[in-house]
Amino acid sequence: VKPLFVIISTLSLFLAVVLIYPSPPVAPSKSSDSTSAKSDIWSVQRIVEWRPCKWWLQSHLTPLPAKSNGYIRVDCYGGLNQMRRDVSFCDGVGIARLLNATLVLPKFEVAAYWNESSSGFSDVFDADYFITQMNGFVNVVKELPPEISSKEPHRVDCSKRKGQFDYIESVLPFLLKYHYVSITPAVSQRRDRYPKYAKAALCQACYRALKLTESLEKKANKLLEAIPKPFLSLHLRFEPDMVAYSQCQYSGLSPTSMKALEAARGDDRKPWTGEAARIWRNRGKCPLTPNETAFILQALSIPTNTNIYLAAGDGLMEIEGLTSIYSNVVTKSALLSGEDFETMHGNTKAALDYCVSINSDSYMATYFGNMDKMVAAMRAFKGLYKTLFLSRRAFAEFTSRGLEGKPLMEALWKAHKDDFIKGRGSALSDCFCEFKL
């Protein structure tokens, strides 16, 4: 009896202790918004992904008509990614299919943009691969037949057409008459007006058929091998010409940066002042400085020892604002041999940045330009979703309210977390569809 009494007494005492003393608090979750206890932005669970649309990847192609209406050459202007994505090359492929035309490999007009005289399609992309990949979508030729090649194409400038501009009404008559036309696609043309077979040709051209030349691929692979892993590719834009173009005011820049900026501004790019400057900045029109970029990276809990590949053009201003905090920053000019780098022109340098960025472990951009949109799309195509655009608007709005330090970091974390969760800002074309997780 005594042993039984002892056991019952012990159990009663244990239950009393449990009831009197509360349980220890549960440790906070890593997904908490507290900046002191959260993981980096990539740990946040997304609810939306953008994936290539099934109608493009799996649809049966509408057969090409037996006879072509003529030849179209797309004249491309600007930087590499502007030419391929924004209003030129990819749209040009869709237009060629829409008009049942044979596509002539495009002409890259680079002289005004890069101050170079030679940088054609075949200097950057594998022409044979492109032609093979476009088989069934649109006919493509490297060279014109003799009876056409001696003529200059009839120029149809579509670039500034507005409103309900229609290629069939405005370009097809010239194509049927002259059999060889050159176009610059219209900025305002909406792709949703294309029939599915023309949109499929556009998607195939932009996301499946463009492959770098063998020599460029070797350089890109060499560069990728040299970058310490894992790494973040950061597209940072703070060059004098683009800052001048933004017409934004900046205080605290070094004398060297101010001199370069004033030279780039000239007489026709004077910065906004007063209330206009405040409104312009709060609309997100002002490029982030390297120092502001470093602050946002810290707000997103990106460790300061992160390996960062700087995908940027030459002449970045105030770069010390980033490298003084994030010390593991590498560039293509430092990783490639002098001879390899110095023989490259602007388009091929941009191609390297693009290639590295679509293969990086994560990608962030301080701007929302054509390279960023192309990289976001190709990373989505490859199933790589650690992609984020840093919000110039959020940074401007929060700082204009007087936020700084930890409150500013917390506000930036929430703004970017919401963007990442919902897949906002990807600006993917009609070739991609929203997929809820």
Side-chain angles (χ1 to χ4, degrees):
V1 177
K2 281 187 177 182
L4 182 61
F5 176 77
V6 170
I7 291 171
I8 293 172
S9 299
T10 304
L11 285 172
S12 300
L13 182 61
F14 174 76
L15 288 171
V17 170
V18 169
L19 291 172
I20 292 171
Y21 292 96
S23 300
V26 177
S29 168
K30 284 187 178 181
S31 62
S32 167
D33 277 346
S34 168
T35 56
S36 60
K38 66 176 181 295
S39 301
D40 64 37
I41 191 69
W42 309 125
S43 68
V44 174
Q45 184 64 44
R46 298 182 315 280
I47 63 173
V48 167
E49 285 180 354
W50 288 89
R51 300 178 183 178
C53 300
K54 289 183 179 179
W55 63 260
W56 159 43
L57 294 180
Q58 300 174 4
S59 64
H60 297 288
L61 293 176
T62 303
L64 291 169
K67 185 179 179 182
S68 168
N69 287 330
Y71 296 87
I72 281 183
R73 187 186 77 194
V74 183
D75 292 346
C76 304
Y77 297 84
L80 176 68
N81 291 290
Q82 178 181 343
M83 290 190 290
R84 65 187 287 188
R85 181 196 185 282
D86 193 27
V87 294
S88 290
F89 179 59
C90 294
D91 275 323
V93 175
I95 295 162
R97 180 66 183 92
L98 177 69
L99 302 182
N100 182 29
T102 299
L103 182 73
V104 183
L105 286 182
K107 181 181 179 183
F108 283 1
E109 298 287 359
V110 300
Y113 190 86
W114 292 114
N115 195 25
E116 296 164 352
S117 57
S118 68
S119 176
F121 181 89
S122 297
D123 291 318
V124 179
F125 300 114
D126 185 327
D128 293 325
Y129 181 84
F130 177 77
I131 291 170
T132 301
Q133 289 295 309
M134 293 311 300
N135 184 37
F137 289 90
V138 68
N139 289 324
V140 186
V141 295
K142 287 183 183 178
E143 297 177 354
L144 293 161
E147 66 272 17
I148 300 285
S149 60
S150 59
K151 305 175 184 176
E152 279 296 310
H154 179 80
R155 173 84 177 135
V156 184
D157 187 2
C158 315
S159 60
K160 296 180 181 178
R161 301 293 183 95
K162 303 292 183 183
Q164 301 294 317
F165 174 68
D166 188 279
Y167 285 103
I168 293 177
E169 292 179 1
S170 303
V171 179
L172 184 57
F174 293 107
L175 179 65
L176 294 172
K177 180 178 180 180
Y178 296 102
H179 305 293
Y180 180 30
V181 299
S182 67
I183 63 169
T184 298
V187 175
S188 60
Q189 177 66 13
R190 288 168 50 192
R191 292 169 175 170
D192 59 7
R193 296 176 186 158
Y194 292 2
K196 281 284 179 69
Y197 61 81
K199 285 172 71 173
L202 181 155
C203 297
Q204 179 76 0
C206 227
Y207 303 111
R208 268 186 164 173
L210 291 175
K211 176 185 175 184
L212 297 181
T213 63
E214 185 178 354
S215 62
L216 262 181
E217 276 207 338
K218 285 181 178 178
K219 282 184 180 177
N221 289 333
K222 182 179 178 181
L223 193 51
L224 279 167
E225 289 172 5
I227 300 171
K229 312 294 188 301
F231 75 97
L232 161 70
S233 180
L234 176 64
H235 190 211
L236 178 58
R237 298 298 311 273
F238 204 67
E239 303 91 348
D241 59 341
M242 72 91 59
V243 175
Y245 183 78
S246 74
Q247 294 185 275
C248 294
Q249 284 187 325
Y250 291 88
S251 59
L253 298 184
S254 70
T256 302
S257 296
M258 285 304 302
K259 183 177 179 181
L261 186 52
E262 288 303 317
R265 277 179 175 153
D267 295 326
D268 56 345
R269 291 182 177 176
K270 296 300 181 185
W272 298 104
T273 58
E275 181 64 8
R278 186 192 67 79
I279 293 171
W280 189 246
R281 181 171 290 278
N282 282 357
R283 286 179 61 195
K285 298 297 185 179
C286 296
L288 293 168
T289 69
N291 184 267
E292 292 167 345
T293 301
F295 185 90
I296 298 176
L297 293 183
Q298 289 179 289
L300 302 181
S301 292
I302 302 300
T304 55
N305 63 350
T306 299
N307 297 313
I308 296 178
Y309 172 78
L310 196 59
D314 302 327
L316 269 181
M317 300 187 297
E318 306 292 307
I319 190 58
E320 297 80 8
L322 173 71
T323 56
S324 62
I325 298 170
Y326 287 86
S327 55
N328 296 336
V329 176
V330 296
T331 62
K332 55 185 172 293
S333 59
L335 294 174
L336 292 175
S337 68
E339 183 180 351
D340 271 348
F341 188 72
E342 288 167 10
T343 57
M344 298 178 70
H345 48 64
N347 269 344
T348 51
K349 288 178 183 177
L352 286 188
D353 282 340
Y354 166 78
C355 187
V356 169
S357 295
I358 65 171
N359 289 290
S360 60
D361 298 283
S362 52
Y363 177 79
M364 287 187 177
T366 65
Y367 202 60
F368 200 43
N370 292 298
M371 172 168 166
D372 308 312
K373 295 168 188 175
M374 274 303 303
V375 169
M378 284 306 300
R379 288 180 62 82
F381 185 81
K382 292 160 69 75
L384 302 172
Y385 292 100
K386 289 185 177 182
T387 304
L388 188 65
F389 299 110
L390 304 187
S391 177
R392 294 170 291 165
R393 175 176 289 189
F395 187 85
E397 286 182 353
F398 296 148
T399 52
S400 71
R401 294 183 209 163
L403 290 182
E404 57 184 22
K406 187 176 179 181
L408 177 57
M409 282 192 168
E410 290 175 344
L412 288 168
W413 166 267
K414 186 178 186 308
H416 287 86
K417 184 190 76 170
D418 290 346
D419 284 350
F420 185 62
I421 285 174
K422 298 174 183 177
R424 284 200 204 105
S426 297
L428 299 175
S429 73
D430 307 66
C431 308
F432 291 80
C433 295
E434 189 177 81
F435 184 88
K436 287 184 170 55
L437 298 176

